[in-house]
Amino acid sequence: MKKLLMITSMVAIAVTNYAQTKLIEKVEQKEGKIVIPYEKYELDNGLTLIIHEDKSDPLVHVDVTYHVGSAREELNKSGFAHFFEHMMFQGSDNVADEEHFKIVSESGGTLNGTTNRDRTNYFETLPKNQLETALWLEADRMGFLLDAVTQKKFEVQRETVKNEKGQNYDNSPYGQWREINARSLYPYGHPYSWLTIGILEDLDRVDVTDLKKFFLRWYGPNNATVTVGGDVEVDEVIKLVEKYFGSIPRGPEVEPLKLEPVTIDQDRYVSYYDKNIRFPALLVTFPTVPQYHPDEPALDCLAEIIGTGRSSYFYKSFVETQKAIQASVFNSTSELAGEFTMFVLPFPGKSLNEFEDEMRTALQEFENNGVKDEDIQKFKARYESRAVNGLATVSGKVSQLAAYETYTGNPNYIQKELEKYRAVTKEDVMRVYNKYIKGKPAVIQSVLASEDGEPAKPDNFTPQSEGDNPFPTTDYSGLTYNKAKDSFDRSVKPTPGASPLVSVPEVWTAETKNGIKVIGTESKEIPTVAIELTINGGHKLEANMLDKSGLAAMTASMLTESTKNYTAEQLSEELLKLGSSINAYADDNTTTISVRTLTKNLDKTIALFEEVLKRPAFTEADFERVKKQQLEGVKSQEKQPASIASNVYRRLIYGDNNVYSVPASGIEETVSNITLDDVKSFYTKYYSPTVSELVIVGDVSKKEIMPKLEFLKSWEAKNVTIPDAQASTDIDRTKIFLVDKESAPQSQIRIGYLTDMTYDATGEYFENYLMNYNLGGAFNSRINLNLREDKGYTYGARSYFSSDDDPGPYTASAGVRANVTDSAVAEFMYEIKLYADKGIDESDLSFMKNSIGQRESRSYEAPWQKTGFLRRIVHYDLDTDYVKQQNKIINNMTVDRINELAKENLPYDQMNIVVVGDKASIEEGLARLGYDIIYVDEKGNILEDNTKIDTSK
């Protein structure tokens, strides 16, 4: 791509250029405009093909979008579209079971699929020589899927979907609010009245035949768009698409789905209790307009004015006053309807009824004040920034083209959308407020943090749960499965050409006189600049003050509050006007200040960066609010099963004398001890150029950027000594540490130990990364195939090494159905032990080498990828060609070496196993595994009652 993307030159041609393919239009580049150039074609069978050429990286991205989501489902038959997202990866006539992920991974690619209310898409990003492989795979599951969809696969994936529901909804904080909102806002039988994941009881009562009928009705080529982008040639793409997709028979015709707008006649109060939360929630949702409706931009702007940024009405009313930890407003749209939602998370002990009144007061205040010119300015700046950054990757551009084509029939809709958003006026915002929000009924949902909690008002609405379907249904009779007839053998996997040569980004370096190591690379693909200042130390600096753990994180949070020349609100406002962002955060080893801006706003953003770094005000008012937020945040982790598991595991792995035994955010006892003077002292002592590194990526040269950062030279240099982390306690034998989470539908599992390895890009640590890849590092690793694909125990299971400047743990983890907790632990340990004892074979080695060795082409595409790459180079003092050294290690790796590493670094008899789940239902099964069980609370404290379970019954 050129520096700034382009406007259209549209050509409509009605002649046939290829055997089956008709050119519909061509959109070309023109300097100075934001657009994605493409060519659009249509095949004889109705398939739409869009091709976008982008030679900036040796990559190709293939997206197949079907215009079918949960909106095409019916009452009592929900979840089908999402279910097919799972089934599409389970093999087809010419692709064996579990092979889709393996083939793409082995080709150096990445892949996934997503489902929403209105469409399902499947996509992969690969090195450019793998284009034909990607098209072969996608065509096979479009035209040759159903014979491979067996009852057994159906049942396994049904369990996987249940695990996904448990992990992301039932066992997740606030996980059920969307489901309750959908049932309460939309009429009975409306396809938006259930979530995309569906109602699990519906999947329980249907069989594989029902699923196949759904596929036959909606997944034909005439209801699909294939979008190909990247380093491709148009003629080659057309020939390959004709070859693999052209003979797939057209499916039944698909008419647009049209439903009447949703209205409600009075406020609907609903509530539920969520055992996974500390903060209650109040959510108010108004029905609004569908996606691409003329009023959508103004509603988006209204949401930002009321609920985004420190000057917003909700921030001032709830967060600034320390009544709530979070408050926001957002406008979301789908193809058939939209939802304008306001929410607030009050601190514990607050009345939701009062918050409803205060929400209405905030709206009245907005109405009285009206819309200001700067409100419109901020909104348009943020929109432009998002639009430009969305074009940073070929996958982002392809996804945008596919979405526009699917919903509007015009891949170039970005031009109309830009015009609509740039045209928003103050009058438009007030008009949509009066039309859709002011005095209008809404769904008012209370999420209660305790069983005896009080909702905003007593429930006055119960969603209908039975009765005849009042909405149109689909006729699924007479559907037949007709396979394509070809003149070639589809069972033959395409043979790719040579892997593309990949050049790492061209790097420049510098060092300031006061000690900052600087590294950068110039990239003109999009007009943006990313700057990351890393100050080494972070949480580790608290090693000698363990009673104040969380201080580094709190100090970082204070940086983006008030400064000497700006209040926190003024700083936020200036950034919003620029469409820029400055974020500061601390982790185990670092404090990072991250700056993102459009190139045209670089100077003004850098001035604010200087303010944040060198002139924080550290006011008492800011401190009290930030401390309260951090304290309440760490308390809330004690309610969330995944956080509990990770924090207890961390404490066991590192031991109480190690600073890493608690998370960087601290725990309740330590955060409570922190004072404002502690923050000031930490900043004064430890924020120094002598322990800092600066990474710069984007549309700016070294010559241009370094003078703009002149202020860094006057940053006072200090002698900073980063302490060593204390040694951990040894594990004498494998034990289970059980945390009771009463009635939890899922159990969280963590298994592992603390290694003695620090990060090394070309040493033993990297070798062990390669060793673990087949065990738990890839989607089709042994652990994930066993627990997810074969058993249906989990939505996903993995294992990994995680070290940096200090030794880190080896960890295996998953969230599993409660009723298979013991079996899941047993399978984890079986796979780890088998891998350690027996190792891999030549086919495993080949898969690992191909998968990791060929993915370099997608390692430096996006600005954030380049930033991470340069950060590793400067921090670990690596050669700029260290990736070549890694490739040499990969190529020289042997089965014997992998097996040696597995035997040495998978001590299955000396690991901690942490399980967070419903003790009453899982402890007996766990006891049968033969490990000692230690009962601990949510903070990892050993409980007094540790009576052994009698498993002899």
Side-chain angles (χ1 to χ4, degrees):
M1 287 175 56
K2 293 185 178 178
K3 180 172 179 177
L4 189 54
L5 309 168
M6 329 311 152
I7 196 164
T8 76
S9 169
M10 194 171 295
V11 184
I13 300 178
V15 298
T16 301
N17 293 0
Y18 300 89
Q20 311 169 45
T21 307
K22 178 172 61 178
L23 174 63
I24 305 299
E25 64 187 19
K26 181 176 182 178
V27 171
E28 298 179 332
Q29 297 182 347
K30 185 176 180 181
E31 192 73 26
K33 299 292 183 178
I34 299 175
V35 78
I36 310 169
Y38 66 88
E39 295 183 23
K40 175 180 173 180
Y41 297 85
E42 184 177 307
L43 275 66
D44 286 346
N45 59 6
L47 179 73
T48 298
L49 170 63
I50 299 169
I51 306 170
H52 162 67
E53 287 191 62
D54 176 2
K55 305 291 186 180
S56 58
D57 295 284
L59 293 171
V60 60
H61 185 82
V62 174
D63 177 289
V64 180
T65 296
Y66 297 89
H67 199 168
V68 56
S70 55
R72 293 294 189 174
E73 297 161 1
E74 296 176 10
L75 193 65
N76 300 321
K77 292 183 179 180
S78 66
F80 284 19
H82 172 260
F83 196 86
F84 264 108
E85 182 197 318
H86 285 251
M87 295 305 300
M88 287 279 226
F89 292 100
Q90 300 308 305
S92 48
D93 280 5
N94 303 297
V95 182
D97 298 355
E98 319 303 346
E99 282 292 299
H100 197 113
F101 267 98
K102 182 177 180 181
I103 290 170
V104 173
S105 297
E106 196 168 18
S107 301
T110 184
L111 71 161
N112 213 329
T114 67
T115 311
N116 66 24
R117 288 167 163 175
D118 309 304
R119 66 98 185 100
T120 307
N121 70 337
Y122 303 89
F123 49 89
E124 40 270 307
T125 305
L126 303 104
K128 68 174 187 177
N129 65 317
Q130 301 289 344
L131 170 63
E132 185 171 4
T133 298
L135 294 172
W136 169 71
L137 286 167
E138 290 295 350
D140 212 62
R141 57 184 176 187
M142 178 186 284
F144 300 87
L145 178 77
L146 290 189
D147 285 346
V149 177
T150 64
Q151 185 69 29
K152 180 180 179 181
K153 289 182 184 178
F154 168 77
E155 291 168 0
V156 169
Q157 290 307 310
R158 179 163 56 188
E159 294 306 309
T160 301
V161 170
K162 289 180 179 180
N163 280 302
E164 182 179 357
K165 177 72 158 53
Q167 180 172 313
N168 295 340
Y169 298 87
D170 302 337
N171 211 36
S172 177
Y174 312 100
Q176 298 178 50
W177 85 266
R178 288 186 182 276
E179 188 170 14
I180 291 171
N181 229 46
R183 292 205 310 262
S184 304
L185 182 65
Y186 294 99
Y188 175 71
H190 191 291
Y192 284 2
S193 67
W194 53 80
L195 299 187
T196 301
I197 199 167
I199 299 168
L200 297 188
E201 290 80 4
D202 289 353
L203 289 181
D204 281 336
R205 61 175 152 249
V206 301
D207 60 23
V208 71
T209 303
D210 295 305
L211 268 293
K212 290 184 176 182
K213 289 180 180 178
F214 188 82
F215 183 87
L216 289 171
R217 180 63 186 85
W218 302 112
Y219 291 78
N222 49 308
N223 197 35
T225 299
V226 174
T227 309
V228 178
D231 191 358
V232 298
E233 302 296 333
V234 170
D235 288 350
E236 180 190 15
V237 174
I238 292 172
K239 290 175 183 176
L240 291 173
V241 169
E242 284 186 344
K243 175 180 179 180
Y244 290 110
F245 290 89
S247 59
I248 298 174
R250 190 182 191 98
E253 294 307 310
V254 177
E255 297 296 327
L257 182 60
K258 295 182 180 179
L259 296 177
E260 290 298 314
V262 171
T263 58
I264 55 178
D265 55 4
Q266 65 175 8
D267 286 334
R268 296 176 176 178
Y269 288 88
V270 294
S271 64
Y272 79 97
Y273 162 59
D274 187 338
K275 64 181 179 298
N276 297 311
I277 64 173
R278 174 171 173 79
F279 311 106
L282 184 64
L283 303 111
V284 179
T285 302
F286 300 88
T288 58
V289 299
Q291 194 172 24
Y292 305 119
H293 187 282
D295 287 344
E296 182 185 16
L299 282 163
D300 287 345
C301 185
L302 174 66
E304 288 201 5
I305 294 169
I306 298 174
T308 299
R310 293 176 185 266
S311 66
S312 70
Y313 291 90
F314 270 37
Y315 186 90
K316 285 180 165 296
S317 296
F318 301 117
V319 180
E320 190 172 82
T321 58
Q322 298 188 45
K323 295 176 181 178
I325 193 168
Q326 188 178 352
S328 189
V329 180
F330 56 91
N331 183 56
S332 61
T333 57
S334 300
E335 192 171 19
L336 302 176
E339 299 156 18
F340 188 95
T341 299
M342 313 184 302
F343 79 91
V344 61
L345 303 183
F347 286 117
K350 302 291 185 180
S351 164
L352 292 182
N353 179 262
E354 292 177 10
F355 276 86
E356 182 190 350
D357 292 340
E358 292 194 36
M359 278 185 170
R360 297 185 188 280
T361 300
L363 291 180
Q364 185 62 54
E365 187 179 354
F366 159 75
E367 184 179 342
N368 294 340
N369 293 338
V371 183
K372 302 179 179 65
D373 289 334
E374 53 263 37
D375 293 330
I376 301 298
Q377 178 188 349
K378 288 182 296 184
F379 172 70
K380 293 180 180 179
R382 280 167 57 86
Y383 177 79
E384 181 184 6
S385 179
R386 286 196 299 266
V388 171
N389 280 288
L391 306 179
T393 64
V394 65
S395 62
K397 289 176 283 187
V398 165
S399 298
Q400 192 70 273
L401 289 170
Y404 285 142
E405 170 62 27
T406 300
Y407 294 130
T408 72
N410 177 13
N412 191 44
Y413 195 80
I414 192 171
Q415 287 298 306
K416 289 188 176 180
E417 193 161 56
L418 282 165
E419 290 169 7
K420 289 195 300 182
Y421 277 81
R422 287 169 172 165
V424 170
T425 65
K426 294 185 291 184
E427 292 74 19
D428 289 331
V429 177
M430 291 307 302
R431 177 179 54 78
V432 297
Y433 168 74
N434 288 315
K435 185 174 182 179
Y436 302 106
I437 309 301
K438 181 183 177 181
K440 300 299 188 290
V443 172
I444 302 172
Q445 183 179 165
S446 301
V447 186
L448 308 176
S450 60
E451 291 186 87
D452 58 354
E454 290 289 333
K457 284 185 175 62
D459 291 8
N460 70 350
F461 180 78
T462 301
Q464 183 178 343
S465 59
E466 58 184 23
D468 295 334
N469 186 3
F471 286 86
T473 59
T474 299
D475 181 6
Y476 287 95
S477 65
L479 297 171
T480 56
Y481 182 29
N482 300 312
K483 294 185 183 181
K485 295 179 174 59
D486 298 298
S487 58
F488 67 98
D489 186 355
R490 283 185 183 263
S491 67
V492 177
K493 176 187 169 186
T495 301
S499 296
L501 295 176
V502 182
S503 299
V504 300
E506 186 174 333
V507 171
W508 58 262
T509 59
E511 184 167 347
T512 63
K513 290 182 179 180
N514 54 357
I516 306 173
K517 297 177 181 178
V518 187
I519 189 168
T521 186
E522 185 175 2
S523 173
K524 292 190 172 294
E525 288 185 48
I526 57 174
T528 65
V529 178
I531 301 172
E532 282 196 2
L533 176 69
T534 299
I535 306 168
N536 289 298
H539 178 40
K540 190 178 181 181
L541 291 166
E542 301 158 6
N544 298 324
M545 44 180 166
L546 295 177
D547 62 332
K548 295 183 185 290
S549 291
L551 176 56
M554 193 174 298
T555 305
S557 296
M558 290 289 290
L559 293 181
T560 50
E561 297 292 327
S562 301
T563 70
K564 297 291 174 59
N565 296 309
Y566 293 87
T567 66
E569 179 182 335
Q570 289 170 339
L571 179 65
S572 172
E573 288 295 286
E574 291 303 311
L575 288 168
L576 288 172
K577 290 175 185 177
L578 299 171
S580 303
S581 66
I582 300 178
N583 296 299
Y585 55 91
D587 58 21
D588 280 352
N589 294 285
T590 63
T591 295
T592 300
I593 303 175
S594 175
V595 181
R596 300 289 185 270
T597 181
L598 297 178
T599 309
K600 67 180 183 179
N601 296 326
L602 180 60
D603 289 349
K604 292 180 180 179
T605 305
I606 284 179
L608 297 174
F609 173 33
E610 177 182 4
E611 195 73 17
V612 165
L613 173 65
K614 296 184 69 178
R615 289 184 281 275
F618 296 134
T619 69
E620 188 70 43
D622 288 340
F623 172 74
E624 288 181 4
R625 185 180 65 257
V626 169
K627 179 177 178 178
K628 186 175 183 180
Q629 290 173 333
Q630 186 165 326
L631 185 59
E632 292 295 339
V634 298
K635 287 180 181 179
S636 73
Q637 292 184 357
E638 296 169 11
K639 304 277 280 183
Q640 301 168 18
S643 295
I644 294 170
S646 295
N647 288 342
V648 170
Y649 175 72
R650 172 191 280 263
R651 183 176 176 186
L652 292 168
I653 289 293
Y654 287 106
D656 286 346
N657 293 326
N658 190 308
V659 67
Y660 300 141
S661 65
V662 299
S665 57
I667 58 176
E668 180 182 353
E669 293 83 353
T670 63
V671 175
S672 298
N673 292 332
I674 299 172
T675 67
L676 180 57
D677 284 341
D678 293 328
V679 170
K680 292 177 179 178
S681 176
F682 190 92
Y683 172 82
T684 300
K685 289 181 180 179
Y686 300 123
Y687 278 45
S688 172
T690 57
V691 289
S692 295
E693 298 141 4
L694 189 67
V695 175
I696 301 161
V697 172
D699 181 24
V700 66
S701 67
K702 178 182 179 180
K703 183 178 179 180
E704 292 169 324
I705 190 65
M706 291 306 293
K708 298 178 188 295
L709 297 171
E710 188 74 18
F711 73 90
L712 290 173
K713 294 181 181 179
S714 62
W715 185 18
E716 182 185 354
K718 306 152 195 170
N719 292 322
V720 177
T721 300
I722 300 175
D724 292 328
Q726 297 296 314
S728 69
T729 55
D730 293 328
I731 302 172
D732 57 349
R733 66 184 183 279
T734 298
K735 304 182 187 74
I736 293 175
F737 294 84
L738 178 57
V739 183
D740 185 19
K741 186 66 174 175
E742 187 177 351
S743 302
Q746 270 201 329
S747 297
Q748 286 287 333
I749 298 171
R750 305 288 185 272
I751 301 169
Y753 76 103
L754 184 63
T755 73
D756 60 3
M757 292 179 286
T758 58
Y759 177 86
D760 186 343
T762 55
E764 185 180 358
Y765 181 78
F766 179 69
E767 286 186 307
N768 276 282
Y769 161 72
L770 303 179
M771 178 273 287
N772 176 68
Y773 192 75
N774 286 290
L775 175 61
F779 179 88
N780 54 312
S781 66
R782 296 186 185 185
I783 285 174
N784 197 52
L785 286 183
N786 182 337
L787 273 75
R788 172 178 161 139
E789 299 301 306
D790 295 342
K791 305 287 192 314
Y793 290 167
T794 180
Y795 183 50
R798 63 203 59 82
S799 64
Y800 51 92
F801 289 90
S802 179
S803 295
D804 39 48
D805 295 340
D806 296 295
Y810 173 78
T811 305
S813 68
V816 303
R817 290 200 328 271
N819 65 338
V820 297
T821 302
D822 55 335
S823 299
V825 171
E827 293 301 328
F828 261 123
M829 298 309 296
Y830 167 80
E831 292 293 354
I832 293 171
K833 183 178 187 301
L834 181 66
Y835 204 82
D837 291 345
K838 303 293 185 182
I840 66 169
D841 58 24
E842 288 291 345
S843 64
D844 295 320
L845 182 70
S846 176
F847 169 73
M848 181 275 291
K849 286 185 174 184
N850 290 332
S851 180
I852 298 177
Q854 294 190 75
R855 67 186 186 190
E856 186 183 350
S857 57
R858 58 183 178 86
S859 296
Y860 324 111
E861 182 192 13
W864 54 89
Q865 291 173 307
K866 293 183 175 76
T867 300
F869 173 69
L870 298 189
R871 158 80 177 133
R872 283 190 296 275
I873 290 175
V874 70
H875 183 70
Y876 294 106
D877 194 24
L878 301 174
D879 294 334
T880 55
D881 68 347
Y882 80 89
V883 176
K884 293 182 179 179
Q885 299 174 48
Q886 287 184 333
N887 285 333
K888 186 176 180 180
I889 294 170
I890 293 168
N891 293 333
N892 292 335
M893 188 56 66
T894 64
V895 167
D896 288 344
R897 179 57 177 158
I898 291 288
N899 293 347
E900 177 187 356
L901 291 167
K903 194 174 294 293
E904 179 182 339
N905 293 303
L906 296 175
Y908 51 82
D909 55 352
Q910 291 179 299
M911 292 186 174
N912 288 322
I913 303 173
V914 173
V915 179
V916 179
D918 180 36
K919 173 183 172 183
S921 64
I922 67 176
E923 63 176 339
E924 187 172 334
L926 290 172
R928 291 197 188 96
L929 300 179
Y931 302 107
D932 290 345
I933 298 181
I934 311 298
Y935 297 92
V936 297
D937 65 16
E938 67 279 355
K939 295 182 179 180
N941 298 311
I942 296 177
L943 300 174
E944 292 183 7
D945 182 11
N946 262 286
T947 307
K948 289 189 175 182
I949 306 298
D950 181 5
T951 60
S952 62
K953 297 178 183 179

